[in-house]
Amino acid sequence: MAGGPAAVSFLTNIAKAAAGLGAAASLLSASLYTVDGGERAVVFDRFRGVLPDTVGEGTHFIVPWLQKPYIFDIRTRPHNFSSNSGTKDLQMVNLTLRLLSRPDVVNLPTIFTSLGLEYDDKVLPSIGNEVLKAVVAQFNADQLLTDRPHVSALVRDSLIKRAREFNIILDDVAITHLSYGADFSQAVEKKQVAQQEAERSKFLVAKAEQERRAAIVRAEGESESARLISEATAIAGTGLIELRRIEAAKEIAAELARSPNIAYIPSGDNGNMLLGLNAAGMGGR
């Protein structure tokens, strides 16, 4: 019977030790937190508020219940958003902007105090739309295409400056898409057609002008040739004209001789001959 109380006491001591170890393990677990690679932590203290120092990577100690860590992802993250903006000539343009952003590690406590963990979703869309509308309003609709590098540079510089006011660093800013409204697209198409018609009209006018000049030159040449022939005829007589007439007649006769459907009938007294009949035989009968 004496062994019964001893066994109970032994089991009680083991239970107390196990409970103590469990409590110690729980306390130790609550006192440790880990900051992974690409992350930083901000610690909130119930008595002092958000501590001014940023905690780096690794395992760190905190006071349970009194302190609580908040983990920030400091790696560069992409953000895309669209904005429908009006141009200087009152055309509506739809632009899509892509940002690569990350927080300023030194100012993480300030970011946590003023904006919280979702700082980028709260700030970037609003300042992005603000900057896009302000920059696009400085240009006409067609200038957004012809001066696109300049427009992108203005948007990038303005956004970087505005984001720094919220302790956000922008590594890259790019306009990935630009489209116009249906009315403007139709107006551009009509303008292109009108320009093509204008160029065609210019070509026709230039062609008519060249033809007119060619006709003038040709007429002047023919006039000069007639003048020279008249002068030569006045000096040397009509022999040259008769020679040209004989040459023309020879060319006509040669052309007619090559045609099988041409019959020649002499002129003068022999013009009444009958084809295929012997005149002497007809007279003897």
Side-chain angles (χ1 to χ4, degrees):
M1 297 296 295
V8 172
S9 177
F10 176 74
L11 293 176
T12 302
N13 293 333
I14 291 178
K16 291 181 179 179
L21 290 175
S26 298
L27 182 62
L28 180 63
S29 177
S31 302
L32 296 175
Y33 70 97
T34 300
V35 180
D36 295 330
E39 296 178 345
R40 295 293 185 272
V42 173
V43 178
F44 172 75
D45 189 278
R46 292 182 181 274
F47 295 128
R48 294 179 294 171
V50 178
L51 301 183
D53 296 328
T54 301
V55 181
E57 301 169 357
T59 301
H60 306 276
F61 288 94
I62 58 172
V63 179
W65 184 83
L66 185 63
Q67 294 178 334
K68 181 179 180 181
Y70 291 89
I71 307 298
F72 278 84
D73 186 354
I74 64 170
R75 288 168 291 195
T76 300
R77 294 191 294 177
H79 300 272
N80 292 279
F81 57 88
S82 299
S83 174
N84 196 22
S85 305
T87 62
K88 187 177 181 180
D89 53 354
L90 304 180
Q91 298 293 334
M92 298 307 296
V93 181
N94 186 27
L95 298 101
T96 300
L97 198 65
R98 179 185 61 84
L99 308 176
L100 295 179
S101 67
R102 56 186 174 88
D104 186 359
V105 176
V106 177
N107 294 306
L108 279 180
T110 303
I111 294 176
F112 179 74
T113 301
S114 58
L115 299 173
L117 293 175
E118 303 298 330
Y119 62 93
D120 46 0
D121 292 335
K122 295 178 181 178
V123 173
L124 295 180
S126 60
I127 66 173
N129 279 283
E130 173 193 350
V131 170
L132 277 178
K133 292 180 183 298
V135 173
V136 170
Q138 302 176 24
F139 297 89
N140 292 328
D142 55 345
Q143 291 178 319
L144 296 178
L145 291 177
T146 57
D147 296 340
R148 184 163 180 170
H150 181 48
V151 175
S152 298
L154 285 178
V155 172
R156 181 173 58 253
D157 295 341
S158 300
L159 266 179
I160 290 175
K161 183 178 179 181
R162 288 285 288 130
R164 287 298 302 176
E165 297 176 4
F166 298 92
N167 300 308
I168 299 174
I169 299 173
L170 298 182
D171 293 328
D172 185 58
V173 179
I175 298 176
T176 58
H177 178 71
L178 188 152
S179 61
Y180 297 96
D183 295 338
F184 182 78
S185 299
Q186 293 177 358
V188 171
E189 183 178 354
K190 291 180 180 179
K191 181 179 179 181
Q192 291 177 345
V193 172
Q195 289 177 345
Q196 292 175 356
E197 291 294 334
E199 292 296 328
R200 184 173 181 273
S201 299
K202 289 181 181 179
F203 171 75
L204 293 177
V205 170
K207 181 180 178 181
E209 179 66 17
Q210 293 297 327
E211 291 178 350
R212 183 185 67 82
R213 293 182 180 179
I216 293 174
V217 172
R218 185 166 55 250
E220 290 177 351
E222 292 175 354
S223 175
E224 182 66 16
S225 176
R227 185 184 65 79
L228 293 177
I229 292 175
S230 298
E231 292 179 355
T233 302
I235 296 173
T238 60
L240 178 61
I241 297 176
E242 293 297 330
L243 177 61
R244 295 287 184 267
R245 183 181 299 172
I246 293 172
E247 292 176 350
K250 289 174 65 177
E251 292 178 359
I252 295 172
E255 185 68 26
L256 293 176
R258 287 193 292 269
S259 178
N261 298 323
I262 301 297
Y264 298 95
I265 300 177
S267 62
D269 296 336
N270 297 326
N272 296 324
M273 67 177 294
L274 296 176
L275 296 178
L277 298 178
N278 191 344
M282 293 292 292
R285 293 181 181 180

